[in-house]
């Protein structure tokens, strides 16, 4: 191994070692919550896959074809996602990072720089593939009752397969500076988002152009298989690993070896090609990217500024702070990229509820699905508040003295952050929940209930997040991820999830009982008659109001009290 590459890899080895040593100084609550959530999510995936394979095991006539299509579609989807994630990581690491600026001006061979960043990006982008793939293969192996050798060999398949999308991404990235030298991360994100929307829309159209009377028939199932046949093309790496996995389960060793060598040879070829291209083109591409910066002028009087300044109940100085937070969010492609991923997938699902024929279900199914959608939306809100709202005060950092000498009181500063959080959460939640109710065609009473619930959710989460961010303020770190991963950020996420799940579960149970009473469903009819529908509804309403106000104002008052006594 070349000495310069050894030094670069040793640096990250030392960084990883120091990180592991520093875990003892981390918050025990943070480590406990992350560990429990990770294990719970992995076990949940395993249970889901195991139940699915057990269900499919009863259809012996089409079992092999269905499993082959599912695996091919699964691996093809992961291939596209890995190409996307590796491309974004490699482009930002090679052309838009301080480390690449440093290495490009040192006597280091361009091929070694490529290997260094390629290994890092492969690690950061591919761990999720292993996290999703291992419970899938474990569940399939247990249901199929495979030999014990299946598991290490399929893991070897995974390791080789991950190299192919990473190599394809590196080949695409090396040509970007010559085709679009002025392309920023923001523009790349927009282009990729448009392509994703068009692709998803195309497939939804393909699967939704069937009459309701023709669905779930043998002819409909055959047409679905025909539309998915492209995933089994012999030219796709996703089909090679699918064929190898199925052959491995059936102990067809010749097919196993053939597909393994096919993956390995293509991975090596693509890696050699990408390495050769970086040797020839990296430094010239880096110079093109570095010399194409354009200063953007931000003028006053924009439409966004007019909207914010027209808010009637906020003082002008508070409006300026809200405007600053919005602009900081819009100017950071990483933040709104995460935002689009977080809410974009949920939005796609809600917009296609009628494609899944959920609007044709009876009131009990509609009630269940509507509250499941409300629960998913509320969990996304808690993640959004923890990731984007909680770090706002701490990110002021060393510049906080500017606010300290300004005529703006600290109390009004916190309330400005609160209103920014409240309105952003309210717009997001109401849009998703009202669209969900519209697509499900639920009764207006249930729609009104969920709309009002979103108001209280936004109110409670905003007070909780802003209050705790003032109590556990961290002015030392400038990285939002580090600020969020501290004790305060972890506590905020846990409390927000507990609050949201408690309210959603309570409302869902009471709403179900009320509709059961109206329909005279015997299982709950006696309970609603003995307790009383009106009493149950009033008690639930009082619980939501009291809990939301407590979650909002208690942390806010404690945060204001500590914030006003802090010395900076």
């Amino acid at each position: 191994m070349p000495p310069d590459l050894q030094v670069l890899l040793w640096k990250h080895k030392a960084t990883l070692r120091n990180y592991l040593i520093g875990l003892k100084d981390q918050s025990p609550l943070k480590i406990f919550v992350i560990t429990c959530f990770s294990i719970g999510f992995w076990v949940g995936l395993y249970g889901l896959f195991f139940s699915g394979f057990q269900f499919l095991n009863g259809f012996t006539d089409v079992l092999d074809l269905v499993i082959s299509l599912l695996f091919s579609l699964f691996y093809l989807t992961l291939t596209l996602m890995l190409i996307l994630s590796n491309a974004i990581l490699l482009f930002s690491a090679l052309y838009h990072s301080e480390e690449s600026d440093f290495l490009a001006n040192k006597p280091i061979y361009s091929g070694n720089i490529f290997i260094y960043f390629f290994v890092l990006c492969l690690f950061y982008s591919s761990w999720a593939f292993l996290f999703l793939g291992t419970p899938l293969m474990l569940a399939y192996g247990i249901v199929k009752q495979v030999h014990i050798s299946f598991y290490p060999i399929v893991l070897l398949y995974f390791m080789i397969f991950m190299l192919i999308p990473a190599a394809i991404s590196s080949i695409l990235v090396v040509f970007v500076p010559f085709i679009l030298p002025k392309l920023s991360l923001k523009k790349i994100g927009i282009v990729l988002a448009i392509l994703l929307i068009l692709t998803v829309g195309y497939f939804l159209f393909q699967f939704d152009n069937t009459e309701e009377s023709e669905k779930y028939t043998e002819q409909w199932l055959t047409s679905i298989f025909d539309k998915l046949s492209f995933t089994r093309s012999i030219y796709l790496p996703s089909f090679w690993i699918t064929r190898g996995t199925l052959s491995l389960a059936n102990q067809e060793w010749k097919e196993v070896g053939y597909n393994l060598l096919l993956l390995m040879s293509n991975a090596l070829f693509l890696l050699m090609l990408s390495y050769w291209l970086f040797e020839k083109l990296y430094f010239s591409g880096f110079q093109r990217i570095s010399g194409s910066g354009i200063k953007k002028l931000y003028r006053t009087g924009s439409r966004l500024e007019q909207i914010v300044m027209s808010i009637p109940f906020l003082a002008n100085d508070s409006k300026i702070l809200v405007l600053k937070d919005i602009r900081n969010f819009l100017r950071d492609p990483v933040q709104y990229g995460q935002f689009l991923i977080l809410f974009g997938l949920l939005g796609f699902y809600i917009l296609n509820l009628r494609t899944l024929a959920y609007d044709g279900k009876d009131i009990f199914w509609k009630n269940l699905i509507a509250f499941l959608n409300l629960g998913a939306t509320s969990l996304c809100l808690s993640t959004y508040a923890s990731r984007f709202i909680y770090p706002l005060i701490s990110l002021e950092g060393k510049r906080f003295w500017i606010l300290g000498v300004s005529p703006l009181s600290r109390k009004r500063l916190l309330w400005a952050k609160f209103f920014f959080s409240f309105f952003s959460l309210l717009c997001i939640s109401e849009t998703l929940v009202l669209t969900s109710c519209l697509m499900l065609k639920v009764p207006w009473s249930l729609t009104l209930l969920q709309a009002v619930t979103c108001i209280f959710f936004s109110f409670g989460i905003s007070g909780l997040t802003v209050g705790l961010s003032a109590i556990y303020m961290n002015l030392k770190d400038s990285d939002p991820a580090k600020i969020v991963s501290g004790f305060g950020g972890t506590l905020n996420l846990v409390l927000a999830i507990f609050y949201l799940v408690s309210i959603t579960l309570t409302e869902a149970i009471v709403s179900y009982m009320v509709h059961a009473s109206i329909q005279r469903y015997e299982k709950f009819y006696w309970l609603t008659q003995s307790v009383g529908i009106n009493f149950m509804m009033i008690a639930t309403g009082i619980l939501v109001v009291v809990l939301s106000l407590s979650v909002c104002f208690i942390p806010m008052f404690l945060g204001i009290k500590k914030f006003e006594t802090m010395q900076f």
Side-chain angles (χ1 to χ4, degrees):
M1 184 182 295
D4 49 359
L5 183 59
Q6 285 183 359
V7 172
L8 293 174
L9 294 179
W10 176 86
K11 187 263 292 185
H12 269 277
K13 180 181 177 181
T15 302
L16 178 61
R17 183 179 65 251
N18 294 334
Y19 175 78
L20 294 176
I21 294 174
L23 284 178
K24 63 181 181 181
D25 299 325
Q26 294 285 339
S27 166
L29 176 64
K30 168 191 169 183
I31 298 175
F32 175 76
V33 170
I34 293 176
T35 304
C36 291
F37 270 83
S38 300
I39 295 175
F41 188 70
W42 193 94
V43 172
L45 284 176
Y46 168 76
L48 180 65
F49 292 140
F50 184 80
S51 301
F53 285 128
Q54 277 194 322
F55 173 77
L56 292 175
N57 212 25
F59 301 91
T60 55
D61 296 337
V62 294
L63 178 62
D64 292 338
L65 178 59
V66 171
I67 294 295
S68 177
L69 284 172
L70 288 177
F71 278 5
S72 298
L73 185 61
F74 173 76
Y75 286 123
L76 179 60
T77 304
L78 287 179
T79 302
L80 297 176
M81 293 177 65
L82 287 173
I83 291 175
L84 175 62
S85 60
N86 277 291
I88 293 176
L89 288 173
L90 272 172
F91 183 82
S92 59
L94 287 165
Y95 300 111
H96 286 283
S97 67
E98 295 181 358
E99 195 169 16
S100 63
D101 292 341
F102 176 80
L103 295 176
N105 293 287
K106 295 295 180 289
I108 301 177
Y109 190 52
S110 59
N112 295 333
I113 295 177
F114 163 70
I115 294 175
Y116 169 67
F117 283 117
F118 181 86
V119 171
L120 291 181
C121 294
L122 180 66
F123 172 78
Y124 288 132
S125 65
S126 300
W127 66 267
F129 170 66
L130 295 176
F131 193 80
L132 292 173
T134 48
L136 176 69
M137 290 297 105
L138 181 61
Y140 175 70
I142 291 176
V143 173
K144 189 73 174 177
Q145 296 181 347
V146 298
H147 190 264
I148 191 65
S149 61
F150 172 85
Y151 301 106
I153 298 177
V154 82
L155 189 61
L156 178 61
Y157 264 103
F158 282 179
M159 297 298 181
I160 298 173
F161 174 75
M162 290 188 300
L163 297 173
I164 294 179
I168 294 174
S169 300
S170 61
I171 294 172
L172 296 175
V173 164
V174 76
F175 288 111
V176 169
F178 301 95
I179 301 173
L180 298 167
K182 297 182 181 180
L183 192 65
S184 63
L185 287 174
K186 178 178 180 179
K187 294 178 181 178
I188 289 178
I190 293 174
V191 171
L192 293 176
I194 293 174
L195 290 176
L196 178 63
I197 292 172
L198 292 176
T199 303
V200 173
Y202 170 76
F203 283 109
L204 289 175
F205 174 77
Q206 288 292 317
F207 289 102
D208 194 37
N209 57 1
T210 306
E211 296 294 334
E212 187 66 30
S213 59
E214 298 177 359
K215 289 184 176 180
Y216 314 113
T217 62
E218 183 178 353
Q219 183 180 1
W220 173 80
L221 186 61
T222 304
S223 67
I224 293 295
F225 288 164
D226 291 338
K227 290 175 180 177
L228 291 175
S229 60
F230 72 94
T231 62
R232 303 179 73 246
S233 172
I234 60 174
Y235 302 106
L236 293 175
S238 56
F239 181 63
W240 304 338
I241 188 173
T242 297
R243 191 167 54 184
T245 303
L246 298 179
S247 301
L248 183 60
N250 297 322
Q251 295 188 341
E252 299 172 356
W253 298 110
K254 289 185 178 180
E255 278 293 316
V256 172
Y258 172 76
N259 288 285
L260 187 63
L261 291 174
L262 187 61
L263 281 170
M264 188 180 300
S265 59
N266 280 272
L268 290 174
F269 168 74
L270 291 172
L271 285 173
M272 291 177 63
L273 178 60
S274 58
Y275 182 83
W276 179 77
L277 288 172
F278 265 84
E279 281 186 323
K280 303 295 182 182
L281 302 175
Y282 174 62
F283 281 128
S284 57
F286 181 83
Q287 291 172 354
R288 282 174 173 259
I289 292 290
S290 301
S292 61
I294 299 176
K295 293 184 178 180
K296 184 175 180 181
L297 298 177
Y298 293 95
R299 298 181 176 85
T300 59
S302 63
R303 182 64 59 87
L304 175 62
E305 183 176 350
Q306 293 175 1
I307 294 173
V308 173
M309 298 304 290
S310 63
I311 300 176
F313 51 85
L314 282 181
N316 288 335
D317 46 13
S318 300
K319 294 176 184 177
I320 292 173
L321 286 175
V322 172
L323 183 63
K324 177 185 74 71
D325 291 332
I326 296 175
R327 283 176 170 168
N328 286 338
F329 174 79
L330 294 176
R331 292 172 186 174
D332 188 351
V334 175
Q335 290 201 71
Y336 61 71
Q338 294 173 345
F339 174 84
L340 290 176
I341 293 173
L342 183 63
F343 291 101
L345 295 176
L346 182 60
F348 271 123
Y349 157 71
I350 289 176
L351 288 173
N352 289 278
L353 286 172
R354 292 187 184 177
T355 303
L356 302 174
Y358 288 154
D359 58 310
K361 305 290 184 180
D362 58 36
I363 186 60
F364 297 107
W365 284 106
K366 288 183 178 181
N367 182 80
L368 174 63
I369 296 168
F371 275 101
L372 285 175
N373 293 343
L374 177 64
T377 302
S378 64
L379 292 177
C380 287
L381 290 182
S382 64
T383 306
Y384 168 83
S386 297
R387 175 60 184 84
F388 302 111
I389 304 299
Y390 182 84
L392 285 180
I393 297 177
S394 298
L395 285 176
E396 300 294 344
K398 297 178 180 179
R399 301 178 300 273
F400 206 92
W401 65 271
I402 300 175
L403 296 175
V405 298
S406 68
L408 178 66
S409 66
R410 297 181 182 181
K411 181 178 180 180
R412 286 170 62 185
L413 171 63
L414 284 186
W415 283 113
K417 303 291 184 183
F418 170 84
F419 283 113
F420 168 71
S421 173
F422 174 74
F423 285 115
S424 60
L425 291 173
L426 184 63
C427 292
I428 295 168
S429 59
E430 293 291 359
T431 301
L432 292 174
V433 167
L434 292 178
T435 304
S436 169
C437 293
L438 178 65
M439 301 301 289
L440 288 172
K441 299 179 181 178
V442 299
W444 66 267
S445 56
L446 185 56
T447 304
L448 181 62
L449 171 64
Q450 296 206 350
V452 174
T453 303
C454 286
I455 297 176
F456 283 104
F457 278 173
S458 304
F459 199 75
I461 296 175
S462 298
L464 176 67
T465 304
V466 176
L468 289 179
S469 68
I471 296 173
Y472 299 101
M473 189 165 53
N474 177 11
L475 299 178
K476 297 180 181 179
D477 292 316
S478 59
D479 185 1
K482 292 183 179 179
I483 296 172
V484 171
S485 62
F487 175 80
T490 307
L491 178 64
N492 174 68
L493 181 62
V494 172
L495 292 178
I497 292 176
F498 180 77
Y499 157 67
L500 295 170
V501 171
S502 301
I503 296 296
T504 305
L505 263 177
T506 303
E507 288 190 352
I509 293 172
V510 172
S511 177
Y512 181 78
M513 288 182 175
V514 169
H515 286 104
S517 175
I518 295 174
Q519 300 291 330
R520 293 183 177 273
Y521 186 46
E522 295 181 0
K523 191 173 183 180
F524 293 106
Y525 181 69
W526 66 272
L527 178 62
T528 53
Q529 289 300 308
S530 58
V531 176
I533 295 178
N534 293 333
F535 175 78
M536 293 174 62
M537 295 174 65
I538 293 173
T540 304
I542 293 174
L543 174 66
V544 172
V545 172
V546 172
L547 187 57
S548 299
L549 293 178
S550 302
V551 168
C552 174
F553 286 114
I554 293 176
M556 278 297 294
F557 288 149
L558 293 177
I560 290 172
K561 183 178 180 180
K562 184 170 184 179
F563 193 54
E564 289 182 332
T565 58
M566 281 184 176
Q567 299 295 325
F568 303 101

